[in-house]
Amino acid sequence: MSFPSDFVWGAATSSYQIEGAVHEGGRGDSIWDLFCRTPGAIYKGHNGFVACDHYHRYAEDADLLTGLGAQAYRFSIAWPRIQPTGVGPANQAGLDFYDRLVDALLARGIDPYVTLYHWDLPTALHYEGGWANPDIPQQFGEYTTHVAKKLGDRVKNWMTHNEPQCSIYLGCGAGVHAPGWKRPFEELRVMARNVLLSHGYSTLALKAEIPGCKVGMAPVGQTCIPASRSAEDIAAAKHQMLGIRPDSLWEMPLWLDPIVFGEYREDVLRDPVAVPHLSEADLKVIHQPMDFLGLNIYSAPIIKAGEGGKPATLDDSIDDPLTAFRWLVRPESLYWGPKISHERYGLPIYITENGLSNVDWVGLDGKVQDPQRIDFTRRYLTELGRAVDDGVPVEGYFHWSLLDNFEWAEGYKERFGLIHVDFTTGTRTPKQSYHWYREVIASNGESLRADPSTVV
Ligand code: GCO
């Protein structure tokens, strides 16, 4: 296991989960503010109105990234800070906040990786139909231009969308995320088409404003692990991971095939109505060169070849380790996810999110002990190292998350941070895993080889 010398080590967050200050600096309302005001929508009525107060504490957070030795930081821009109603001229105070943040990072030698949409849609656009509105793709392009004009001289790595599977399916189909809609699948497919078009317009805007910039996207890295190294099990796992099922938006090809290939390839189409209808003109906009693929990977099912080679999911064992969120710990997802995705799309890969929620608190000694996070990350990074050794071009890894933060419908119940946040006082306490990860970064992954029993 040996990571390339220019491998990028970092941590990730998103705007709504950490910023707070939802009514400051001219920021408009977002669908997550609206959802947080909806009785019963969020665990114990929590909300993101203050969150980690990062809007005011961004310099302290940049210092914490320095303390970690992070080389890069992935964060997202809140559209309603830039355009309070989602359209029209830019709000200067909103742009200035991200300008200060980018400067704070660069002054510390930390490279910003910016996501343009991590789910905080301006409420005004939601009332116009949200992602179902045929105007939204071009509006997203115009928003992108405002951001690119301001930050493009310093930010070189961009992601258009984060996990469109969640913003569309969880938000507009299952109704468990903002805006809480339960729309039928035909409508979700229309929204998916608009997201794809918006990615196209956004990419065009970035490339026009920022020569030489790199543009990617960070979908849910829906991954499957083969039950064995047999050719049959591997084929079954790939089939399961890549085939698009009816009434599902989760599979990566649904989002990536039209972007990367300019069409849906036959091998993933099990049911032609399962994908958004895209005209030739749509595909012209959507099919833009993509520079890298971001993968958000947390867990994965284990798949074997069942009857006639058909994919069959192995039952979980009572001994399978689980995170606090009760997600299965499946380190090999960080081997197979990058490997299979790269085989299909041929793009350089970043792990744009990976991590776990854990039951962390500040001990009597003032320290936060989180051995599970260390063990989890060691296992996952070791598998990622194996993918690198196999020749998969993985360029970087962003741990989710830098800080404990607002975990969407779960409120503050799930703690994903390398840094503990006391949400009453705002006090940050780096966890044991923060110090451990610092060693991983400083040694470019060499410290992962140490005998686990001798660590920390
Ligand atoms: C997502 C988002 C993050 C989450 C993280 C843990 O994957 O849902 O990108 O915002 O907080 O994944 O659930």
Side-chain angles (χ1 to χ4, degrees), residues 391-410:
V392 181
V394 186
E395 304 202 335
Y397 170 87
F398 291 87
H399 193 83
W400 184 274
S401 180
L402 179 68
L403 304 163
D404 288 345
N405 61 45
F406 176 74
E407 179 57 26
W408 309 115
E410 307 301 325

Side-chain angles (χ1 to χ4, degrees), residues 100-141:
R100 290 195 296 276
L101 173 60
V102 165
D103 280 347
L105 295 169
L106 292 174
R108 292 162 176 82
I110 299 161
D111 206 8
Y113 281 62
V114 170
T115 309
L116 285 158
Y117 190 73
H118 203 128
W119 312 350
D120 36 9
L121 185 75
T123 303
L125 291 185
H126 161 73
Y127 288 126
E128 301 290 325
W131 287 103
N133 183 337
D135 295 334
I136 200 168
Q138 302 222 24
Q139 289 164 339
F140 191 67

Side-chain angles (χ1 to χ4, degrees), residues 259 330 371 443:
I259 296 175
R330 292 278 162 85
S443 67

Side-chain angles (χ1 to χ4, degrees), residues 14 17 118-119 162-163 166 296 298 325 327 353 400 405 407-408 416:
S14 86
Q17 294 181 275
H118 203 128
W119 312 350
N162 177 75
E163 302 194 358
C166 296
N296 295 353
Y298 292 88
F325 217 150
W327 291 356
E353 288 180 24
W400 184 274
N405 61 45
E407 179 57 26
W408 309 115
F416 273 90

Side-chain angles (χ1 to χ4, degrees), residues 242-269:
L242 298 173
I244 299 173
R245 284 174 282 282
D247 295 355
S248 170
L249 296 179
W250 292 106
E251 298 82 14
M252 273 198 288
L254 185 127
W255 306 95
L256 294 181
D257 268 28
I259 296 175
V260 179
F261 303 138
E263 62 176 1
Y264 286 107
R265 293 231 162 131
E266 273 301 309
D267 61 331
V268 298
L269 290 178

Side-chain angles (χ1 to χ4, degrees), residues 436-454:
W436 173 86
Y437 185 41
R438 185 179 55 213
E439 292 305 312
V440 174
I441 298 176
S443 67
N444 196 30
E446 283 301 309
S447 64
L448 293 166
R449 294 177 198 269
D451 171 1
S453 63
T454 65

Side-chain angles (χ1 to χ4, degrees), residues 49-73:
F49 305 161
V50 176
C52 305
D53 199 23
H54 170 77
Y55 184 79
H56 297 113
R57 292 176 175 258
Y58 72 91
E60 179 184 349
D61 293 338
D63 283 342
L64 286 162
L65 280 161
T66 304
L68 184 62
Q71 296 148 358
Y73 173 52

